[in-house]
Amino acid sequence: MTRRDAVLLLVLGAIWGAVFPLGSVVLEELAPPVVMVARTGLSALLLVPVALRDGAFVREWRRHPGSLLTASVLQMTLPIVLLTIGQQHVAAGLAGVLLGTQPVWATVLAAAVERRVRPGAAVGVVVGLAGVVLLFWKDLGGASAPVSGALLVAAAACYAAGAIYIQRVLTDVHPITVAASALSVSCLLLLPTLAPVPARFPSPATALWLTVLGTVATGGSLALFYVLIGRVGAVRANLPAYLAPAFALLYDIPLGHFPTATALGGLALILTGSAVAAHSPRHQGEEPLPRATL
């Protein structure tokens, strides 16, 4: 891996971590349906033209319409709804940490599918869940925060389920096609949620941050992620996902939320558990469990 690749991995981790503070900022002014539709729509505008270039997008939809629809709902529609609604009452840094449990849930789901529990993976799951319990015990107090925290954990589980499904069912479909499908399908499915929302223009600052969230932090980061898969392989390309929660906590400081000792402890437990669970020994030659993108 070259120095340039290492810098790109760090940049991707920083971008993924920015999803959470950007979401918190735009949700202060805009309703969740507006944020969800704008984010998926702007990302789709970036990735669908790329997927259409060689005809693969249309061809794969003819071959796998049901599977691509299922993957889209699991990988994007459900988690983005849960994530956006859950972020309304949870600080951006804590949201990033809770979403960092994706590999833990991927391990649990893989064990359920395979009907086999690996000892190392079980240890990782226990350690990761201990981090979640610590956060709920100390940092998610108040009337709405526990429910919002549960929604964020559910979003992480949905991302994990989508990644497992794609890895098992759509192995022959290019990732750009899967990503473009997930974003465009989600945007179309979420459009009806705008009906009860009063029409109003956001402030210029909010419009700018929403554009950055949809283009750079979502569509652009996915494009960079797939470039890195080609350059350094899938395992190393997933490393930025372990940096994202730490960046989310760092970005949350200018928003007035300083990380508590329990938040840092929960982060350490979740990342340690995730690393152990995702990379514990499996069958020879198998890839570590997938890490979902945001």
Side-chain angles (χ1 to χ4, degrees), residues 144-177:
S144 301
V147 175
S148 296
L151 292 176
L152 291 168
V153 172
C158 284
Y159 277 124
I164 292 287
Y165 182 85
I166 290 167
Q167 186 187 55
R168 291 177 175 272
V169 178
L170 296 172
T171 54
D172 60 337
V173 180
H174 195 280
I176 286 289
T177 297

Side-chain angles (χ1 to χ4, degrees), residues 97 124 127-128 130-132 134-135 242 245-246 249 260-276:
V97 174
V127 172
V132 174
L134 180 62
L135 292 178
Y242 293 97
L249 284 173
T260 63
T262 49
L264 294 174
L267 172 65
L269 288 171
I270 288 171
L271 292 187
T272 300
S274 296
V276 172

Side-chain angles (χ1 to χ4, degrees), residues 66-78:
S67 298
L68 281 171
L69 180 60
T70 301
S72 298
V73 173
L74 278 177
Q75 178 74 0
M76 187 60 63
T77 312
L78 286 177

Side-chain angles (χ1 to χ4, degrees), residues 42-104:
L42 289 169
S43 303
L45 286 175
L46 282 178
L47 293 187
V48 170
V50 177
L52 285 170
R53 281 189 306 184
D54 60 357
F57 187 81
V58 175
R59 184 169 61 251
E60 296 301 344
W61 268 100
R62 288 174 177 169
R63 293 177 59 209
H64 308 288
S67 298
L68 281 171
L69 180 60
T70 301
S72 298
V73 173
L74 278 177
Q75 178 74 0
M76 187 60 63
T77 312
L78 286 177
I80 205 167
V81 169
L82 295 168
L83 170 61
T84 307
I85 295 175
Q87 265 208 266
Q88 293 180 101
H89 303 290
V90 175
L94 287 179
V97 174
L98 290 172
L99 263 291
T101 59
Q102 292 171 36
V104 173

